[in-house]
Amino acid sequence: MTGYIELSYLDLVLAALLLLFNAVLSLVFGLQLEKRLLIAALRMTVQLFLIGLVLKALFSVASPWLVGLTALVMALFAGREILARQQRRLAGWWGYGLGASTMLLAGTVVTVLALTTQLRPEPWYEPRYAIPLFGMILGNAMTGISLALNGLSALAARERSAIEARLLLGATRWGALQPFARQALRDGFTPMLNSMAAAGVVFLPGMMTGQILAGVEPAQAVKYQLLVMFLIAGATGLGVLLAVLGSVWRLTDHRHRLRLDRLTGDLDAA
Amino acid sequence: MLCVEGLQRPGLGPISLHIDDGECLALMGPSGAGKTLLLRAIADLDPNTGRAAAAGQARADTPAPDWRRLVAYLPAEPGWWADGVAEHFADRPAALPLLAALGLDAGCLEWAVARASTGERQRLALARGLAGDPAVLLLDEPTAALDPDAAVAVEELIRQRQQAGVSVLLVTHRAEQAERLASRTLHIRAGRLVEGGGS
């Protein structure tokens, strides 16, 4: 089986009618979600059409600089998303910078590794491979990193007296925060582990399904999906580790003090 | 020996004080006057400026973890990071005599922290802090949650440490406790030491 069935705009409009059902649901039960539903659907439509145009232009030029720039912009948006998912975050540029930079680093390292060793397109930065791959890795690592950072800052604030007790007994900043950093790492790894465990049984991963719909042999689609899952696992591990280490470093100082005043929403900031 | 010079942080100081080897200095003052802030600042737990030295070691030249082993600060409300009492003691056999001196039976190491009463936790934390043989003790109301018998045991332990040469800075609300243990009493108000009490 090769080739795929092309969609017309009318097909999309018909599918979008399903949203009307949701809107009616919202009205009947007074959920007050109609407006948000409409805005989210419109936003998604515009964003996806735009990225479609960007990708089309990018594919036709195949410039390494433009690929790099696109990846950077994606990581910057991911950084904002990470920030928005944290209740207590590092104050100032650290809050944004830590998430965005670990994302960018982990995503780039793993994507470049996959492009140069496993996929080997010609040239290696071929945007048709580089951008979707980077995007998938970013999207999943982002979830892990935001969960880990959120977990660590919440724990540090809640367990202040426990952390200070460890410091008072002569622990270093790393030693004092170790059990809590460990918990945060676990938080960050959980979604990736869950999705690996459930893939193929509870749900069919979106990328694999997409490839099958586009006419790819299922066995090949499975191989691609496995590659992507492993890459996601690697990037999540690297990103979560760097983010947690960076966060521990910023939440403490050179005199091994716990610095909750560097979190937003500190109740007794000096 | 503890020597503090020009210690300062927002809401506190500058404060200078000196405690000899084996001396106990009591610190009294109304709630919110800065007693706990002062102890935290000496232990270098909050950002602060000024000089401090203990047992011949300048704080500025000592890594913070080493400083806190030398100068042990015991907060009024101690923190616990694990469920079991035993996990909080690095050297359990060494802690046993301390626990006994504080009127806690040896079985308490098998307890869950949540099971211990406030007073028991305060004594467990004292044993935990003393186990490392610090040269200076910063005690924040060490007997506040204790019944009279336990308070006597704690005071006796503090006296023993003094005789061994340990300098003690004792925050207390009880004037009679200050009189029993301390050779001098300082008063703190709005973050500053004020005249009053003993010499």
Side-chain angles (χ1 to χ4, degrees):
Chain A
M1 190 184 101
T2 54
Y4 60 96
I5 304 162
E6 281 203 36
L7 290 176
S8 70
Y9 288 109
L10 185 65
D11 298 330
L12 291 181
V13 171
L14 286 176
L17 288 179
L18 289 175
L19 276 182
L20 282 181
F21 170 73
N22 288 6
V24 170
L25 211 67
S26 169
L27 282 173
V28 170
F29 291 102
L31 306 180
Q32 297 182 318
L33 287 175
E34 314 89 64
K35 210 174 142 192
R36 282 175 61 189
L37 209 60
L38 184 72
I39 291 174
L42 280 177
R43 208 183 130 172
M44 172 186 76
T45 310
V46 171
Q47 280 171 192
L48 286 180
F49 270 117
L50 280 180
I51 196 68
L53 291 176
V54 169
L55 288 178
K56 199 175 161 191
L58 209 58
F59 289 1
S60 64
V61 184
S63 142
W65 301 111
L66 280 181
V67 173
L69 185 69
T70 311
L72 181 67
V73 171
M74 287 163 79
L76 294 182
F77 273 106
R80 233 191 60 179
E81 192 62 30
I82 290 176
L83 196 65
R85 290 187 195 180
Q86 293 176 67
Q87 291 184 326
R88 310 260 327 246
R89 42 189 179 245
L90 291 171
W93 272 99
W94 274 90
Y96 177 80
L98 188 65
S101 59
T102 49
M103 275 316 297
L104 187 63
L105 187 64
T108 307
V109 166
V110 172
T111 307
V112 169
L113 189 80
L115 289 174
T116 53
T117 59
Q118 288 110 39
L119 285 167
R120 276 179 291 179
E122 197 53 53
W124 67 269
Y125 53 82
E126 168 69 73
R128 193 159 73 83
Y129 290 91
I131 295 299
L133 210 56
F134 187 69
M136 280 188 288
I137 291 171
L138 213 58
N140 287 276
M142 182 176 82
T143 309
I145 291 176
S146 53
L147 281 173
L149 288 178
N150 193 44
L152 185 65
S153 55
L155 274 176
R158 202 186 67 202
E159 301 289 342
R160 174 183 169 172
S161 68
I163 293 167
E164 290 193 336
R166 291 168 73 83
L167 289 171
L168 286 171
L169 291 170
T172 63
R173 64 213 281 201
W174 304 105
L177 275 154
Q178 193 201 42
F180 310 102
R182 208 179 269 156
Q183 183 56 45
L185 287 173
R186 238 183 248 130
D187 290 349
F189 285 141
T190 304
M192 180 255 291
L193 286 172
N194 287 346
S195 83
M196 282 208 286
V201 187
V202 184
F203 73 100
L204 289 180
M207 190 204 73
M208 188 179 103
T209 329
Q211 279 195 312
I212 292 175
L213 285 177
V216 172
E217 192 65 40
Q220 276 300 320
V222 164
K223 276 196 211 161
Y224 258 91
Q225 186 63 51
L226 282 175
L227 175 74
V228 167
M229 290 296 251
F230 293 140
L231 297 180
I232 286 172
T236 305
L238 183 62
V240 165
L241 179 70
L242 291 175
V244 166
L245 289 181
S247 196
V248 168
W249 195 72
R250 182 61 187 164
L251 280 172
T252 52
D253 67 15
H254 67 291
R255 291 297 291 174
H256 303 267
R257 307 174 185 119
L258 181 64
R259 298 295 300 271
L260 291 180
D261 55 314
R262 291 177 178 168
L263 279 178
T264 56
D266 184 26
L267 296 178
D268 57 14
Chain B
M1 191 270 305
L2 174 73
C3 191
V4 170
E5 237 177 293
L7 200 69
Q8 208 165 0
R9 57 149 287 165
L12 180 78
I15 281 181
S16 301
L17 55 87
H18 180 97
I19 308 175
D20 277 328
D21 284 341
E23 189 191 7
C24 177
L25 179 64
L27 183 66
M28 300 189 69
S31 296
K35 302 185 296 291
T36 300
L37 283 187
L38 174 60
L39 298 195
R40 287 178 63 92
I42 296 174
D44 214 2
L45 215 46
D46 296 318
N48 65 87
T49 56
R51 280 198 300 273
Q57 266 180 274
R59 187 176 73 172
D61 304 329
T62 312
D66 296 344
W67 173 257
R68 294 186 193 119
R69 273 192 218 114
L70 197 64
V71 181
Y73 160 47
L74 288 126
E77 281 173 32
W80 308 92
W81 59 85
D83 293 334
V85 168
E87 282 115 298
H88 297 90
F89 288 85
D91 185 355
R92 279 155 224 171
L96 288 175
L98 278 168
L99 294 170
L102 288 167
L104 293 159
D105 65 76
C108 70
L109 281 176
E110 309 305 319
W111 292 354
V113 173
R115 202 205 110 170
S117 70
T118 315
E120 283 164 342
R121 275 185 234 175
Q122 204 166 20
R123 280 179 286 161
L124 285 170
L126 187 62
R128 179 177 73 178
L130 289 175
D133 281 327
V136 177
L137 284 174
L138 310 174
L139 303 175
D140 199 347
E141 301 193 42
T143 61
L146 302 185
D147 58 63
D149 286 347
V152 168
V154 168
E155 287 185 11
E156 183 49 38
L157 197 60
I158 295 172
R159 225 172 268 124
Q160 276 174 23
R161 291 285 161 147
Q162 277 178 256
Q163 278 154 18
V166 171
S167 314
V168 180
L169 179 53
L170 173 76
V171 166
T172 180
H173 276 303
R174 304 179 190 173
E176 63 286 359
Q177 181 172 57
E179 249 166 63
R180 279 197 300 272
L181 288 172
S183 55
R184 286 180 295 152
T185 299
L186 293 178
H187 291 261
I188 188 166
R189 207 153 305 219
R192 297 194 176 244
L193 296 180
V194 290
E195 292 300 319
S199 68

